[in-house]
Amino acid sequence: MDIINRISEELNLRPKQVEVAINLIDEGNTIPFIARYRKEMTGNLTDDNLRNLEERLIYLRKLDERINTVLNSIEEQGKLTDELKESILNVETLSELEDIYRPYKPKKKTRASIAKQKGLDPLAIYLKEGKKEPSLEEFLATFINEEKGVKTKEEALQGAKDIIAEEISDEPKYRTYIKDLILKEGLITSKEIAKDEKDTYAQYKEYSELVSKIPPHRILAISRGEAQKCLKVGIEFDKDDVFDYIAKKVSKNNPYKEILDEVIEDSLKRLIYPSIENEIRSDLFEKAEDESLKVFKKNLRSLLLYPPLKNKVILGFDPGFRTGCKFALVNPRGIPDMKTIGVTYITSDKKDIVEKEKIKLRDFLKTHYIDYIALGNGTASRESEAILSSIIKENGLKIKIFIVNESGASVYSASELGKEEFPELQVEKRSAISLARRLQDPLNELVKIDPKAIGVGQYQHDMNQTKLGDTLENVVEDCVNLVGVNLNNASISILKYVSGINKTLAKNIYETLKVKKFANREELKKVKGMGEKAFVQCAGFLRIYDGTEILDTTNIHPESYEVAHYILNKYKIDLLNDSKDEKELKLAKINKEEVVKKYSVGEETLEDIIKEIIRPGRDIREDVKIVELNNEAKSIEDLKVGTILNGTVRNIMDFGMFIDINVHQDGLVHISEVSDKYIKNISDLYSINDIVKVKVISLDVQRKRIGLSIKQAK
């Protein structure tokens, strides 16, 4: 297989780009490293381009390996013709390859294989060819052999029918015809066989939709309903059409038509339909899974790259009723003061306690300098927000409240990492610290949590967990390396995602940091396990501030330091103190051709060096947005159809998006209520954490369902 040209055509890339990228990947270079520091070689392929290329490379190599296995197997059987070989070499998918291989694949014990062992192959050939001499009765009699287990003519005939049925089921042309028919005209159906407590699958109790039109989220929904034994799912299509098609090939004008028609029916019902239905549904699920993964990836990326609140003092506030609200104050570096970690019972159902707790909380807020409160969006969030807002307003405090998604916070708090970081604290208090840090630097905190637990996907528990995990790990890796890591303030959790650094090396770096800070990137080479290859891969993504090498504050790679220093010296640029305008004015004089020639540096790399000199250590994340809270509704019972609210986008799926409107239950904006114009992908318009104005258009208090509209709120 010509994998390079195949990927080139599929991804619309030049063959040379693909060839170079494959070589770089095979040499052990990471995707972030290739994307940032090997642009000249790949022709500016992005990390997305490279991830897609890598994914296809893995699949096509697996397909190529399987093709060779199949060819060898058929050749060993002495059945490999030129035509068959050509068909195998031109397959597009593993599924297509397996259909061709089916007749030649060594089988386990089947009714047909047993019949062949009994010597009934000649009888099957006799029936297929429509022979009349000797007569069928006479010919059947010749196969009766008690030693072989054929006691009667009926047993002999049944064995021959079993052989023909399997041959029909193995014929690739028939299977292709049926699959094409189902994909064109077939219906996927579901019927309710049981209800769960919430009647989750009510819309699927009598449901059917064209296989060609059913959207991914409905495939995933009915598959889950089937797995939970609430739905019976099937595929309906014109089976008479299929029978007629096969009959024209097998039984038409054959004197044993009646027998062969019975064989066709048996083959279809017993062997073909169950197999093909499973394949079709498996393909549908895999495609739905891939679409769901795309949504999950985009949501996770938006969440991880949400702008940080730098140099701010944050109060993490984890609300609750029965056990009170836990709070923790963290300094601009994310370090909590143990004296400012505690519990308040402002949401107690006892009024006398609440009033006393309000006074304590007021004094706390007035005594300590606080920029923002990171308020968790879980139980008692709305009640806590109302009290906090009133205290802030009544006392003229300049504290702003941020609603922070709690998803996964408890996972971190109860993890070994959480215990190791704060062994003396209860789980809930660790959650308060985590909430504060999520607001302060989302990326740095969220890398401590399994991406699957962050809660920005759809039907993730139904997916292939290995595939899901690998895909999301790649997203985290890309985000971490895109932003860069402050080496001297890094945790093991974030270091392990840096290009070229595995868990062991991350731990070794962290242990080194406990003893002393790094003065420059070169000192990384002294870390146990840090070879030259790993250093080259990771160095550009790790930043050192207040060190001995000024360029270590940038994402300029050490391999380009010579050219970077040349530019700084020649044009008398003070990297950290000159303004952006001053640098641009000085760099306007640069002779790029001269620099490229003098240092054999690529044009793209030179452009990146210049950009980094102009804005050294730039954080690609944008300025933060402030959530404007609506203080009227406190629970779903307070809502009314027609109410206009501000909300935060918490999750985007292909059928709609969930909006946090601070009533303990997210509302759903269906894709049809997002815009007056047709949109295919909601994520083209909105991202996680966007603030949107919504209108309540439907309420089901008992089932806790809130229907929202963006287009009607304008």
Side-chain angles (χ1 to χ4, degrees), residues 19 22 26 33 42 69 145 153-154 186 254-255 268 327 379 400 451 466 485 520 545 549 560 600 641 648 698 705:
E19 182 182 5
I22 290 174
D26 287 345
F33 177 81
T42 67
T69 300
N145 185 327
K153 294 178 183 178
E154 288 73 23
N254 190 300
L268 288 170
F327 61 85
T379 304
K400 292 183 177 177
T466 300
V485 173
N520 52 60
Y545 301 93
E549 169 56 70
S560 298
S600 300
V641 172
T648 308
S698 66
R705 292 187 177 180

Side-chain angles (χ1 to χ4, degrees), residues 127 157 161 243 250-265:
L127 292 171
L157 182 60
K161 289 163 72 176
F243 179 87
V250 175
S251 62
K252 188 177 180 181
N253 301 323
N254 190 300
Y256 308 112
K257 184 178 189 308
E258 187 175 335
I259 293 172
L260 292 174
D261 283 349
E262 287 179 13
V263 172
I264 295 169
E265 286 287 359

Side-chain angles (χ1 to χ4, degrees), residues 583-596:
K583 290 175 185 173
E584 287 178 340
L585 192 63
K586 292 176 181 179
L587 287 168
K589 302 172 185 176
I590 191 169
N591 185 333
K592 294 180 182 177
E593 289 183 8
E594 177 199 331
V595 177
V596 167

